[in-house]
Amino acid sequence: MIWALIRKDARLLRNYLRSAVVVTGCSYLVTAIVIHRESLPDASTPWGTAMTLLVLALGSNLGFLATAFMAALMAGSVFTLERSDRSAEFLACLPPTRKQNLVSKLSVVLVPVGLMIFVHILTNITAHQVSAYVPAGSYLRNRLVFATGILTYVSIIIATLGGALAVSALLKSNGVPVLCGLFSPFFVLGVVLILGYVLDIPAEGNAFANRYATNAFVIGGAFAAMGCYWYLTRNST
Amino acid sequence: MTLPEGAAVLEVRNLTKRYGNTLACDSLNMSIQEGMTLGLLGPNGAGKSTFIRMLMGLTSVDSGDIFLFGHDAISPSQEIRNRIGYVPELHHIYRWMSIKEVLGFVSKLYQRWDDALANDLLLKFELLPKMRVAALSKGMTAKLGLIIALAHNPDLLILDEPTSGLDPIIREDFLESILQSHTCKGRTILFSSHHVDDVERVADDVAIMVNGRFAIRGTVDDLRSRIKRIRIVLPDGKLPKIVPPQVLFQRIARREWTVTIDQFSDALFNQLVNENDAVNAEVFDLNLEDIFKDVVRGQKSQIEEACNDLGSH
């Protein structure tokens, strides 16, 4: 039964899923085109390796941001699309329970987002490896965000996903949930800055990035949990 | 899940639903025994759809209990849903799916889905599997809804104004399928409609719902035999002296007093004639449509009187 629901939900979000694939590819393509049009960072660097390094590293960074956007789009639509055309009422009369529907919907959002994150982490790690073979590698290594950056990016994605999911569970159209999802990372930033100001914590360097990531994980996770709870306990479909 | 001995397939106790200040369902009590077809008649806004949506778990219940197959079903379990076929007035089947895809999807959700029966019904209703739901007419969508409701061999079929807005031919096909389903499979059916002739054709038992309450219930023959219309010509300038409590609806036009009475008896007729000094009196048999109209009008006039009383106070 659950596979039938997942297949249905995947078809429901098929346009977004296709977009996710295109956006992932485009992140690297756009980076490649931009780099190709610009001069190399170091003239002594072999062209091919440096190009690869930059495309992978910068492309993955761009890809992380695109993933956050797609996460907001998919999480903001996963509950609302069926409500907007009232097919949620048809589904509510069929045997699957709300829990089963929720599992299916979460799978259809989390698996592609997880895959996108995995691809970008993989390319980021690859870029990190490649940088060792490039004379300008150490320079680039310092300039590009790796381990800490990945954590921050993932936390931004969690925040967008949670924000969109929470609002999506309450509404019938996907516009507001998507916007709320996109706004969530800034909301988290506001929380971190206010807390830092109130508790007098200096907002500098990696410590700030780590604090932001931790807060984004917690707040995003809480939003997502609230969204799931609201979906399960909502009176109407 | 088997039906406990003596338990009704469907039973509701004091079922109440409010929308703001409007009482959509007012302490409803009723039951349907296995194999029975109950026709639920009522004018628009009587609360039929709210009642059915509560049964299906689509609308929350304010208070009261619902028992389906002897089990508490305020929010029906998966097992209970597997035994219910539901046809709403408006179908919201996935518009982006084809008929084949819809049936393929739904077939995986029901434990007792019968592919052969679904294909037979598709042929009978002349629906092409490759057609998109978005491209179907209202009648075709209704037929698809009925296929979905019937092909998993439900024990209880709930139909909420399923023939509303359908042309006579599709309506005929629809009713035939429901009748066949009842006759061949012995299903319990709850059939809600404001088409009296549809209900009269399908139902063993009829309940008339007005203003969120069941005003009257019985078999069609029972209702016909116990509800009569009496026309009494009163003496000049006189009003009725005795109005029996079982009056469903009454109207006075000059000297002519027309009264529709539940639990009619010859003794009651004689009492009315004698005590009101009737100049002339006649008894009329009513068909289900007349009974329905008089019950609805009677309930509405009661509400108007209550409102007038409130206004005068």
Side-chain angles (χ1 to χ4, degrees):
Chain A
M1 180 189 284
I2 197 73
W3 289 111
L5 291 172
I6 289 174
R7 258 203 305 277
K8 180 265 297 174
D9 283 324
R11 283 208 61 198
L12 195 69
L13 292 181
R14 62 192 179 283
N15 289 334
Y16 300 125
L17 294 173
R18 282 177 197 148
S19 305
V21 174
V22 172
V23 159
T24 305
C26 281
S27 304
Y28 296 96
L29 190 67
V30 167
T31 312
I33 291 168
V34 170
I35 292 168
H36 186 69
R37 289 171 67 89
E38 298 295 323
S39 58
L40 281 169
D42 184 346
S44 62
T45 307
W47 166 256
T49 317
M51 175 78 174
T52 309
L53 168 65
L54 283 170
V55 168
L56 292 179
L58 297 178
S60 70
N61 288 333
L62 185 64
F64 275 121
L65 294 177
T67 304
F69 178 75
M70 288 312 302
L73 207 60
M74 287 195 281
S77 307
V78 71
F79 298 138
T80 52
L81 281 183
E82 282 182 334
R83 286 202 198 114
S84 60
D85 67 0
R86 296 185 68 183
S87 51
E89 279 190 26
F90 172 66
L91 184 66
C93 300
L94 299 174
T97 58
R98 283 226 181 144
K99 268 185 197 161
Q100 287 167 327
N101 283 321
L102 179 67
V103 168
S104 157
K105 288 177 189 306
L106 287 182
S107 309
V108 169
V109 173
L110 295 180
V111 169
V113 170
L115 276 175
M116 287 171 86
I117 292 173
F118 177 74
V119 167
H120 300 315
I121 289 177
L122 205 67
T123 50
N124 218 317
I125 290 170
T126 310
H128 189 74
Q129 298 298 320
V130 170
S131 67
Y133 303 101
V134 177
S138 58
Y139 163 75
L140 286 166
R141 218 186 276 200
N142 290 333
R143 287 290 304 269
L144 300 172
V145 183
F146 286 109
T148 326
I150 289 172
L151 198 68
T152 311
Y153 281 131
V154 174
S155 69
I156 288 173
I157 293 167
I158 300 282
T160 50
L161 199 123
L165 210 59
V167 184
S168 171
L170 299 171
L171 299 181
K172 284 186 177 175
S173 67
N174 63 352
V176 176
V178 172
L179 285 176
C180 286
L182 295 175
F183 176 73
S184 292
F186 301 101
F187 172 76
V188 175
L189 182 66
V191 169
V192 172
L193 287 175
I194 290 168
L195 280 178
Y197 178 75
V198 171
L199 302 173
D200 201 21
I201 306 168
E204 286 165 3
N206 272 355
F208 179 79
N210 287 338
R211 212 162 62 243
Y212 177 85
T214 312
N215 277 280
F217 270 118
V218 172
I219 294 172
F223 278 161
M226 276 154 64
C228 294
Y229 176 76
W230 286 332
Y231 177 76
L232 290 175
T233 55
R234 216 174 118 102
N235 278 339
S236 55
T237 53
Chain B
M1 189 194 279
T2 51
L3 187 66
E5 208 172 313
V9 170
L10 163 64
E11 186 177 2
V12 296
R13 293 182 200 152
N14 300 317
L15 197 64
T16 303
K17 177 70 188 176
R18 249 176 207 288
Y19 292 111
N21 290 328
T22 310
L23 199 54
C25 290
D26 183 5
S27 287
L28 297 178
N29 288 290
M30 63 100 81
S31 65
I32 308 177
Q33 296 301 321
E34 197 171 7
M36 179 192 276
T37 300
L38 176 74
L40 188 59
L41 273 174
N44 292 328
K48 306 185 297 291
S49 291
T50 302
F51 171 60
I52 286 177
R53 287 176 67 83
M54 284 196 285
L55 295 181
M56 292 305 300
L58 295 173
T59 296
S60 63
V61 173
D62 284 353
S63 63
D65 295 301
I66 300 171
F67 296 94
L68 286 165
F69 307 102
H71 299 270
D72 183 23
I74 283 291
S75 48
S77 66
Q78 191 168 0
E79 211 169 337
I80 287 176
R81 282 184 198 282
N82 257 302
R83 299 178 67 181
I84 301 176
Y86 172 55
V87 182
E89 181 187 359
L90 296 171
H91 298 265
H92 301 293
I93 304 166
Y94 295 103
R95 292 171 58 79
W96 45 270
M97 284 189 185
S98 66
I99 292 176
K100 189 182 173 186
E101 285 167 337
V102 170
L103 296 179
F105 167 61
V106 172
S107 69
K108 291 185 178 66
L109 307 179
Y110 284 107
Q111 287 163 357
R112 295 189 291 185
W113 184 266
D114 185 343
D115 274 324
L117 177 59
N119 289 331
D120 286 350
L121 288 168
L122 271 179
L123 283 174
K124 183 183 169 186
F125 288 149
E126 296 171 346
L127 292 176
L128 296 173
K130 63 183 176 190
M131 281 183 85
R132 289 229 170 263
V133 174
L136 298 180
S137 66
K138 187 173 181 182
M140 287 164 135
T141 314
K143 286 172 175 177
L144 178 61
L146 189 62
I147 294 175
I148 294 167
L150 291 177
H152 66 279
N153 290 308
D155 295 321
L156 171 63
L157 193 56
I158 297 178
L159 306 133
D160 184 9
E161 305 201 17
T163 55
S164 177
L166 302 184
D167 70 50
I169 296 167
I170 295 176
R171 212 165 120 189
E172 184 69 27
D173 287 352
F174 213 95
L175 291 175
E176 239 173 54
S177 299
I178 294 165
L179 277 170
Q180 202 175 8
S181 155
H182 177 57
T183 319
C184 303
K185 315 259 178 175
R187 279 189 186 118
T188 310
I189 300 176
L190 172 61
F191 183 91
S192 150
S193 181
H194 50 247
H195 291 294
V196 180
D197 43 349
D198 287 357
V199 169
E200 195 164 13
R201 200 173 149 194
V202 171
D204 306 318
D205 231 11
V206 175
I208 298 176
M209 196 173 180
V210 191
N211 301 318
R213 289 182 191 169
F214 292 121
I216 213 156
R217 183 176 170 179
T219 63
V220 178
D221 290 339
D222 173 43
L223 293 179
R224 276 190 194 139
S225 67
R226 74 180 216 221
I227 298 174
K228 303 278 180 193
R229 187 181 290 158
I230 304 170
R231 195 176 66 199
I232 295 174
V233 180
L234 299 166
D236 224 355
K238 293 274 176 76
L239 286 171
K241 290 177 195 165
I242 303 283
V243 180
Q246 56 269 56
V247 165
L248 295 172
F249 175 64
Q250 60 173 331
R251 184 173 48 200
I252 299 174
R254 291 176 178 256
R255 290 168 59 195
E256 191 178 274
W257 179 37
T258 310
V259 59
T260 306
I261 287 181
D262 192 8
Q263 309 297 343
F264 173 85
S265 67
D266 289 340
L268 180 69
F269 176 70
N270 291 332
Q271 189 192 359
L272 281 175
V273 169
N274 294 331
E275 297 196 13
N276 289 303
D277 305 324
V279 176
N280 189 14
E282 280 175 290
V283 179
F284 296 94
D285 287 333
L286 297 176
N287 59 27
L288 189 60
E289 185 157 347
D290 293 329
I291 293 171
F292 170 63
K293 284 178 184 168
D294 282 2
V295 168
V296 172
R297 284 178 190 144
Q299 292 284 323
K300 281 188 175 163
S301 58
Q302 274 179 22
I303 287 187
E304 278 162 17
E305 277 170 27
C307 290
N308 290 339
D309 286 351
L310 277 174
S312 63
H313 284 105

